[in-house]
Amino acid sequence: MKLDADPTAKFATRDFKATRILYKHTRFESPYNTYLHRGLPPGPISMASITSIDAVLNSEDHNFYYMCVDPENLGYHLFAASITEHNKNARKYHRWLDSQRNKK
């Protein structure tokens, strides 16, 4: 199946400053773009840090299915167990993105 994973589209285009994945990202031809190609990319899209590996090996039990950038703590995420809660977090993030665009 196609994964349609935003990070793979961002990696494929090398547009690492992108804050939103746009149609142009999802249509960019690359074997790493999971919007265009089924299955996993041919290789890793980044190198995991020791902190990330430790988090996986010592993970917490939880019921979260969704994550979204936390605009009040950039570099961190808000997690949600339901799509309703996730959509609330996503709206909060989108409002923050819009406010940043208006500051330019």
Side-chain angles (χ1 to χ4, degrees), residues 17-100:
K17 293 185 179 186
T19 56
R20 288 184 176 172
I21 299 303
L22 306 173
Y23 184 75
K24 70 179 183 178
H25 296 105
T26 66
R27 305 315 310 160
F28 185 85
E29 178 53 51
S30 168
Y32 286 88
N33 189 345
T34 59
Y35 280 89
L36 297 178
H37 301 284
R38 295 177 183 274
L40 295 172
I45 62 170
S46 71
M47 185 59 112
S49 68
I50 295 296
T51 305
S52 298
I53 294 169
D54 185 57
V56 169
L57 295 175
N58 299 295
S59 62
E60 299 176 23
D61 285 335
H62 60 74
N63 61 348
F64 298 131
Y65 287 98
Y66 307 95
M67 69 176 197
C68 181
V69 172
D70 183 350
E72 294 176 9
N73 291 301
L74 295 179
Y76 293 88
H77 293 82
L78 299 169
F79 296 94
S82 70
I83 190 66
T84 302
E85 188 179 357
H86 171 67
N87 287 339
K88 179 180 165 187
N89 292 336
R91 282 191 300 274
K92 184 177 180 181
Y93 176 59
H94 291 151
R95 280 193 301 272
W96 178 82
L97 281 175
D98 291 341
S99 76
Q100 298 306 298

